[in-house]
């Protein structure tokens, strides 16, 4: 589009398959660049190893600290665990994780808390 005249300019025809292939390439380039920037940001942070209890077992995690937050990543069995602790969280050493098999009581408590905040209780 010509911004001075407001007129559209014809740049040529691109067959649909070529257009979508170009779109896919551009999308991949954007994702690759974002991943590289994310990896660089994490590499610049100082990390250390900590132990967090998961279902009663001591599991090694990698900890990255922010100003008012922290991030920890670890593995238990074949499952990866990431803890993203924001807004003045507890100290990582104070955290322990326990598997919850029935989330409905937790959801019920959350709904009740939200209703109370809205004045619906």
């Amino acid at each position: 589009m010509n911004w001075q005249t407001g007129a559209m300019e014809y740049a040529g025809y691109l067959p649909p398959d070529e257009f979508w292939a170009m779109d896919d390439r551009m999308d991949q380039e954007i994702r690759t660049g974002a991943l590289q920037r994310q990896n660089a940001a994490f590499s610049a942070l100082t990390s250390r190893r900590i132990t967090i209890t998961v279902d009663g077992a001591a599991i090694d995690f990698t900890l990255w600290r922010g100003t008012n937050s922290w991030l920890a990543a670890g593995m238990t069995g074949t499952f990866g665990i990431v803890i993203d602790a924001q807004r003045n969280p507890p100290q990582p050493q104070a955290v322990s994780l326990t598997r919850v098999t029935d989330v409905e009581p937790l959801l019920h408590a959350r709904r009740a808390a939200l209703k109370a905040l809205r004045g619906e209780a």
Side-chain angles (χ1 to χ4, degrees):
M1 178 172 202
N2 185 322
W3 297 106
Q4 293 173 331
T5 65
M8 295 293 288
E9 297 176 12
Y10 180 70
Y13 174 78
L14 199 57
D17 289 346
E18 288 182 37
F19 171 81
W20 290 115
M22 179 186 70
D23 184 68
D24 289 344
R25 280 191 312 275
M26 291 173 61
D27 188 48
Q28 187 58 44
E29 288 174 13
I30 290 169
R31 288 182 184 178
T32 299
L35 183 59
Q36 288 171 345
R37 286 188 301 278
Q38 176 183 328
N39 287 344
F42 267 103
S43 295
L45 295 174
T46 301
S47 66
R48 68 181 181 98
R49 303 296 287 176
I50 64 166
T51 301
I52 295 178
T53 303
V54 178
D55 286 334
I59 303 295
D60 288 330
F61 278 74
T62 301
L63 173 72
W64 297 270
R65 284 193 172 274
T67 304
N68 292 316
S69 63
W70 54 267
L71 181 73
M75 295 274 303
T76 179
T78 59
F79 294 99
I81 300 173
V82 175
I83 304 169
D84 184 0
Q86 301 289 323
R87 295 184 222 121
N88 299 312
Q91 291 299 313
Q93 297 83 353
V95 172
S96 66
L97 304 177
T98 304
R99 184 181 313 259
V100 175
T101 57
D102 182 9
V103 298
E104 192 54 43
L106 299 171
L107 294 174
H108 179 73
R110 176 72 174 153
R111 287 184 209 109
L114 290 172
K115 284 182 179 181
L117 282 172
R118 293 189 300 248
E120 300 173 13

